[in-house]
């Protein structure tokens, strides 16, 4: 296995250099935290890691005094940053700090409002205009209408509703996995994403209300009444403009131990990273990752690390019918995105042949690769596959692959 | 057998001609079965059988049985339970007890002397069984999509033509007034020259993971169900659920291409040709036994410049259905609530003049088939049309699988300058099954 890994590593490195190297800029991000009714000590370092792993950001974390502390000492230098990420829900800031923040946004600063940060500062008018909608803290009809999409069998009949009904702002049902639906597909943040994707177990924030000025709801989720939800399509991802500033709000990511599935969800990670880049620059240069969830699958990164093709191939080599096929799907995704030409496919072919020649690789893993090689393999694959016909378990799959390769003229 | 069948067919044709004045079909199926051409002796009836009598197949058979024009003599399914249910239904309606049952279609086709057969099988079986039935010179009502691959589709088209059999595709929307009206408005330029068509198909949404290997249920011949598809252990994914695995189907895309793509092409007059390029992408489940695309979005360009975009509905303005865009507006038709609407409601009141294009009029898809079995005329959804409709879905699948723009020669039916993608025009069959001959 070791020898193979080195071999693969070299190829992967080459491919990465050739195809996926992009450096959109060097943005400075400030994560504001220190007080929260949520696990900010867990979430803030994760948010920092997520920002920095894009290669686009250098992130600092600034912590406020503890609850009840002297807030006059809390004066972050917002204007030094391209984006401020709010992981804060606590004591009021000083008037000076508030004014500095509002000025920062008005002058074109980017903001990411993360999960419970939309609970913060119910009395601060400008803050509520910046976040668009929020919840809890005695928010009610006095703060603005509810925003949601109505429910209908057919998407074309679902409409954005601004509902001025009296009532509380902010609620959520039981935590569960839920399907998120992108309502705007041509925004830089959502462009290229699937329309629908399953999110890891999380709180589904509902009944958010607020001024909602200059706000676009990018995505919603149906709050199932079976989960004690509202039965509405609740806003999940929003963009707001305030002065020259760009704001991205995500209600996702209720932190649990090690982040939990809500933060480990590749959908949360990707939209957070894209939202931060958009808030910082107005554009998004990041690729959609291979393991982005779909309408039928939740996809988690338990340690927040990005999957490489090398990881995929190593896992495919160990694959048996009881294990996940996601590594194989990732490989297919990379191939579709990156191969494009016959020579592009050749690189992937070489990597797959290494696994096929590996005695330790499983039969089931090899079968998956034989299926791919049957259409994209070149004459280089033939001798390797020929050998596999001698293996009784692989004979049928190998012969089928050879038959197809040989139909090419 | 052919001598007997053709004599019988000639007789049927003659009686149809004699009775042609009375071959007017009621537009609604009555609660009691009605005869089509007046009272006929049993020997005048169209002798029918059915292969594949699960959910869709038994539903189709039930629809045929509203007609007293037919006599169903045998059913064939790899699941004994399906056969028993279908036989019970047939015997009850036919007031008999002799509907025969078969497990293997080869034996069924060999032993039964049929005029027509209704076939509803998973897509991976279409190529072989449609061709085999055509080669026995039996008229076929076959479910869409026509085939799992383009080469299989060509083989079926050739077999149907070579044997001069009548073919009707289960694309029943062609016999729906609303769809015909929409297509007729589009093809006659009521929104000007059509430049763009958008076709929305349902989103894929079936979650499953990878279920454990389990015992094959009693009565199911799993190996025969798999047929030409790769041998895999049974995981409870079989009837109805097969549509979400690429070995048997292309998922929602290929399922529904035979409906809304078919109607969209009808309204452009391009339903007997194909695009010249296809480009787009799909979203595939991250893992699990279900591996058909849950989202898809590709655009086909035609030689005349027209663009057809095919996507899962959530990506499109009107969600599902067929929408034609012309210089003067748009027309959209969808199954949901019987929806036909246009950019200007007045368009919908337009009368199609005598010298304009009048599309094939059928108001009952099943009876259109039976009528054509007698008249030997073409049905409302003939085999070549079915082949061209599913070719759009299958070419889209190839574009998404390879991540490449596919250039297509719609006359020769070849992918241009791309040997890798060309391999995806066919699949290998598991021995002892061999591809139907082209």
């Amino acid at each position: 296995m070791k020898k193979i890994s080195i071999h693969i590593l070299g190829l992967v490195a080459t491919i990465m250099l050739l195809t996926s190297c992009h450096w959109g800029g060097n943005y400075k991000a400030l994560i504001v935290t220190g007080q929260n009714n949520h696990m900010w000590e867990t979430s803030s370092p994760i948010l920092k890691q997520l920002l920095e792993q894009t290669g686009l950001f250098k992130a600092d974390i600034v912590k406020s005094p503890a609850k009840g502390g002297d807030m006059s000492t809390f004066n972050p230098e917002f204007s030094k940053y391209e984006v401020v990420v709010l992981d804060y829900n606590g004591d009021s800031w000083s008037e000076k700090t508030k004014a500095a923040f509002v000025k920062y946004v008005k002058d074109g600063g980017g903001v990411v409002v993360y999960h419970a940060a939309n609970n913060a500062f119910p009395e601060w008018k400008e803050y509520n205009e910046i976040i668009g909608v929020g919840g809890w803290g005695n928010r009610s009809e006095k703060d603005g209408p509810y925003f949601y999409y109505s429910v209908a069998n057919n998407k074309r009949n679902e409409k954005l509703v601004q509902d001025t009904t009296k009532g509380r702002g902010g609620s959520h049902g039981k935590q569960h996995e839920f399907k998120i639906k992108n309502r705007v597909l041509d925004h830089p943040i959502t462009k290229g994403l699937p329309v629908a994707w399953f999110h890891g177990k999380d709180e589904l924030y509902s009944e958010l209300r607020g001024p909602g000025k200059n706000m676009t709801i990018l995505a919603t989720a149906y709050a199932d009444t079976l989960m004690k939800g509202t039965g509405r399509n609740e806003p999940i991802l929003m963009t707001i403009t305030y002065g020259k500033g760009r704001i991205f709000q995500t209600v996702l990511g209720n932190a649990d131990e090690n982040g939990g599935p809500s933060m480990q969800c590749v959908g949360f990670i990707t939209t957070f990273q894209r939202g931060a880049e958009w808030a910082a620059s107005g554009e998004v240069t990041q690729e959609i990752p291979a393991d982005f969830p779909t309408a039928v699958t939740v996809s988690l990164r338990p340690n927040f690390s990005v999957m490489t093709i090398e990881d995929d191939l190593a896992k495919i080599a160990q694959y048996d019918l009881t294990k996940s096929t996601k590594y194989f799907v990732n490989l297919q995704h990379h191939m579709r995105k990156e191969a494009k030409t016959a020579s592009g496919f050749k690189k992937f072919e070489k990597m797959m042949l290494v696994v096929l020649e590996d005695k330790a690789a499983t039969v089931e893993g090899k079968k998956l690769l034989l299926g791919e090689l049957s259409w994209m393999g070149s004459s280089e694959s033939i001798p390797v596959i020929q050998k596999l016909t001698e293996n009784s378990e692989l004979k049928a799959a190998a012969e089928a692959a050879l038959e197809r390769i040989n139909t090419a003229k | 057998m052919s001598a007997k069948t053709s004599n019988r067919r000639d007789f049927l044709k003659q009686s149809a001609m004699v009775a042609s004045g009375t071959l007017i079909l009621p537009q609604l199926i009555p609660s009691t079965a009605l005869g089509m051409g007046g009272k006929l002796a049993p020997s005048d009836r169209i002798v029918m059988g059915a292969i594949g009598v699960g959910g869709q197949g038994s539903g189709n058979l039930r629809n045929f049985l509203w007609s007293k024009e037919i006599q169903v003599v045998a059913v064939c399914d790899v699941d004994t339970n399906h056969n028993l249910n279908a036989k019970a239904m047939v015997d009850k309606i036919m007031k008999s007890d002799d509907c025969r049952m078969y497990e293997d279609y080869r034996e069924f086709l060999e032993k039964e002397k049929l005029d027509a057969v209704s076939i509803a099988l998973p897509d991976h079986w279409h190529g072989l069984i449609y061709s085999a039935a055509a080669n026995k010179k039996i008229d076929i009502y076959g479910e869409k999509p026509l085939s799992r691959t383009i080469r299989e589709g060509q083989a079926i088209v050739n077999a149907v033509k070579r044997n001069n059999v009548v073919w009707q595709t289960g694309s029943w929307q062609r016999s729906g007034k609303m769809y015909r009206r929409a297509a007729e408005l589009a093809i006659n330029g009521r929104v000007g020259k059509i430049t763009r068509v958008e076709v929305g198909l349902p989103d894929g949404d079936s979650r499953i993971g990878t279920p454990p290997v389990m015992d094959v249920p009693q009565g199911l011949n799993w190996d025969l169900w798999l047929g030409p598809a790769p041998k895999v252990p049974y995981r409870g994914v079989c009837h109805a659920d097969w549509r979400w695995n690429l070995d048997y189907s292309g998922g929602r895309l290929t399922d529904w291409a035979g409906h809304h793509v078919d109607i969209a092409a009808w309204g452009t007059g391009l339903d007997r040709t194909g695009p010249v390029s296809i480009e787009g992408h799909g979203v595939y489940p991250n893992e699990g036994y279900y591996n058909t695309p849950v989202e898809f979005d590709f655009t086909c360009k035609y030689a005349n410049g027209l663009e057809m975009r095919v996507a899962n509905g959530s990506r499109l303005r009107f969600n599902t259905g067929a929408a034609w865009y012309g210089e003067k507006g748009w027309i959209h038709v969808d199954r949901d609530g019987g929806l036909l609407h246009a950019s200007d409601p007045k368009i919908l009141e337009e009368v199609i003049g005598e010298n304009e294009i009048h599309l094939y009029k059928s108001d009952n898809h099943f009876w259109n088939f039976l009528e054509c079995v007698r008249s030997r005329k073409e049905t409302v959804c003939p085999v070549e049309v079915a082949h061209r409709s599913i070719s759009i879905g299958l070419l889209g699948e190839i574009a998404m699988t390879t991540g490449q723009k596919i250039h297509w020669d719609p006359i020769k039916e070849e992918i241009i300058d791309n040997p890798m993608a060309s391999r995806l025009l066919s699949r290998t069959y598991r021995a002892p099954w061999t591809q139907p001959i082209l």
Side-chain angles (χ1 to χ4, degrees), chain B residues 25-343:
Chain B
L25 302 171
Q27 293 187 353
L28 291 170
I29 296 166
S31 58
T32 54
L34 288 175
M36 280 166 51
K39 207 167 183 185
L40 287 164
S43 60
D44 295 338
R45 290 184 178 185
I46 296 165
V47 177
M48 277 190 81
I51 307 175
V53 284
Q56 187 71 29
S58 59
N60 289 351
L61 195 54
R62 183 72 194 86
N63 277 319
F64 278 117
L65 284 163
W66 289 114
S67 165
K68 283 195 171 164
E69 284 286 291
I70 65 159
Q71 187 182 2
V72 176
V73 295
V75 292
C76 176
D77 199 293
V78 295
D79 191 331
T80 312
N81 301 310
H82 286 177
N83 270 338
L84 288 169
N85 290 338
K87 175 184 164 56
M89 176 178 78
V90 170
D91 283 347
K92 192 177 168 199
I93 293 169
M94 305 287 303
K95 297 192 174 59
S96 67
D97 62 358
D98 56 1
C99 175
R100 293 174 288 279
M101 297 185 289
Y102 296 84
E103 182 186 72
D104 190 319
Y105 76 97
R106 292 166 294 190
E107 190 191 352
F108 168 90
L109 290 176
E110 200 51 53
K111 289 194 176 160
E112 294 294 335
K113 304 297 176 221
L114 304 171
D115 298 312
V117 63
S118 168
I119 305 178
L121 296 165
D123 304 353
H124 69 284
W125 264 118
H126 287 184
L128 275 176
I129 297 186
Y130 287 159
S131 303
N135 287 334
K136 289 281 182 190
K137 304 203 187 307
I138 302 169
D139 295 336
I140 303 166
Y141 182 100
E143 265 308 329
K144 34 72 28 195
L146 186 71
S147 61
R148 183 69 194 93
T149 69
I150 288 181
R151 293 288 178 252
E152 287 171 340
Q154 289 175 288
I156 297 164
V157 170
N158 291 342
V160 165
K161 287 187 172 169
R162 197 167 54 230
N163 293 290
N164 200 24
V165 301
V166 168
W167 171 280
Q168 172 83 302
T169 322
S171 300
W172 57 263
Q173 290 180 179
R174 285 216 174 204
S175 295
K177 263 188 204 168
M178 191 178 65
Y179 301 100
R180 184 175 65 242
R181 174 78 176 142
E184 229 165 50
L185 289 168
I187 203 169
N188 285 299
R190 289 302 187 271
V191 287
K193 184 176 184 266
I194 307 291
T195 54
R196 195 159 63 83
V197 184
E198 280 195 350
V199 186
L201 313 181
D203 298 357
D205 55 7
S206 294
R207 303 186 84 191
I208 190 171
T210 303
V213 173
M214 54 186 87
D215 290 338
V216 177
Q218 217 160 20
L220 173 66
N221 184 336
W222 176 239
D223 191 69
L224 195 54
W225 187 93
L226 288 171
K231 191 169 177 62
V232 293
Y234 182 77
R235 292 175 182 276
V237 174
C238 183
H239 307 317
D241 297 325
W242 52 265
R243 212 180 273 293
W244 319 118
N245 185 288
L246 289 168
D247 283 342
Y248 321 118
S249 166
R252 288 272 196 224
L253 166 60
T254 54
D255 181 15
W256 279 76
H259 287 310
H260 295 325
V261 169
D262 179 62
I263 296 298
W266 201 22
T268 59
L270 295 169
D271 60 350
R272 287 175 199 256
T273 181
V276 294
S277 74
I278 306 93
E279 188 174 25
H281 70 279
V283 174
Y284 292 79
N286 302 92
E287 60 177 306
Y289 194 67
Y290 287 173
N291 58 6
T292 54
V294 287
E295 296 194 25
F296 40 90
D297 195 342
F298 60 88
T299 299
C300 305
K301 280 193 184 154
Y302 286 78
N304 69 356
L306 181 132
E307 284 191 12
M308 180 191 284
R309 180 179 173 196
V310 180
N312 57 302
S314 289
R315 306 194 73 85
L316 301 177
R317 174 179 178 186
F318 293 121
N319 203 355
T320 48
W324 297 266
Y325 291 84
E327 291 149 341
K328 293 190 278 181
W330 52 261
I331 299 165
H332 171 240
V333 64
D334 191 10
R335 207 181 274 196
D336 175 49
L339 183 72
L340 168 58
H341 60 157
S343 49

Side-chain angles (χ1 to χ4, degrees), chain A residues 307 311-313 315-316 324-332, chain B residues 286-287:
Chain A
M307 304 256 297
D311 298 334
D312 292 338
L313 280 161
K315 294 282 187 183
I316 294 165
S324 169
T325 56
K326 81 172 177 184
Y327 307 97
F328 177 62
V329 175
N330 284 352
L331 181 73
Q332 289 178 316
Chain B
N286 302 92
E287 60 177 306

Side-chain angles (χ1 to χ4, degrees), chain A residues 41-318:
Chain A
E41 281 161 308
T42 303
S43 57
S44 280
I46 292 172
L47 297 178
K48 178 176 158 75
Q49 183 188 350
L50 295 180
L51 289 173
E52 293 187 340
Q53 74 180 197
T54 63
L56 301 171
F57 296 96
K58 170 82 186 69
D60 296 332
I61 296 178
V62 60
K63 291 175 200 163
S64 72
K67 196 169 175 58
D70 179 4
M71 292 303 285
S72 70
T73 62
F74 182 62
N75 297 300
E77 281 189 86
F78 300 116
S79 60
K80 278 174 60 183
Y81 296 90
E82 275 81 26
V83 63
V84 171
V85 178
L86 298 170
D87 183 11
Y88 183 90
N89 178 22
D91 290 347
S92 247
W93 295 347
S94 70
E95 289 308 316
K96 190 180 147 208
T97 302
K98 281 183 180 179
F101 181 69
V102 172
K103 183 176 183 320
Y104 160 78
V105 184
K106 269 191 179 158
D107 289 350
V111 180
V112 175
V113 182
Y114 156 69
H115 193 59
N118 77 6
N119 300 187
F121 310 127
E123 310 296 340
W124 179 8
K125 181 170 170 282
E126 290 84 354
Y127 183 78
N128 284 281
E129 286 173 357
I130 287 167
I131 66 172
V133 287
W136 295 274
N138 294 319
R139 282 180 173 85
S140 69
E141 61 277 7
K142 71 182 179 333
D143 299 287
Y146 294 118
F147 284 79
Y148 56 86
Y149 271 77
S150 62
V151 172
N153 288 339
N154 196 312
K155 186 199 81 168
R156 65 173 162 257
N157 299 324
E158 294 184 347
K159 299 277 174 338
L160 177 62
V161 179
Q162 294 188 30
D163 178 351
T164 55
T165 310
K166 286 182 182 176
R168 66 178 174 185
S171 69
H172 59 77
K174 281 199 263 182
Q175 289 200 17
H176 64 295
E177 292 179 351
F178 50 86
K179 198 196 283 193
I180 293 173
K181 215 168 171 186
N182 293 325
R183 297 279 169 179
V184 179
L185 300 178
D186 55 2
H187 191 279
I189 296 171
T190 51
K191 199 166 184 181
L193 294 183
V195 176
W197 47 281
F198 249 94
H199 176 52
K201 189 178 173 189
D202 202 348
E203 287 174 346
L204 203 174
Y205 270 14
S206 299
E207 296 184 292
L208 299 178
R209 57 196 316 168
K213 278 192 262 176
N214 305 317
M215 179 171 78
T216 305
I217 295 174
L218 297 180
T220 62
Y222 175 68
D224 198 329
T225 49
L226 292 174
M227 293 291 164
K228 300 194 187 307
T230 55
R232 298 170 178 168
N233 288 306
E234 298 287 357
I236 297 293
L237 306 176
M238 287 75 84
T239 59
I240 303 101
T241 52
Y242 182 86
K244 289 184 199 159
R246 280 176 301 269
I247 300 102
F248 171 69
Q249 177 174 171
T250 175
V251 305
L252 304 175
N254 178 61
D256 208 334
E257 211 168 308
N258 191 29
S262 68
M263 294 193 84
Q264 292 164 10
C265 169
V266 182
F268 165 76
I269 293 170
T270 306
T271 51
F272 172 75
Q273 290 170 331
R274 294 174 72 84
E277 186 184 358
W278 176 80
S281 69
E283 57 178 38
V284 178
T285 58
Q286 300 165 62
E287 295 276 343
I288 311 293
D291 52 347
F292 194 88
T294 69
V296 298
T297 41
V298 169
S299 175
L300 304 179
R301 287 182 192 160
N303 55 9
F304 297 99
S305 63
V306 182
M307 304 256 297
T308 63
I309 300 172
E310 184 201 17
D311 298 334
D312 292 338
L313 280 161
K315 294 282 187 183
I316 294 165
Q318 298 161 23

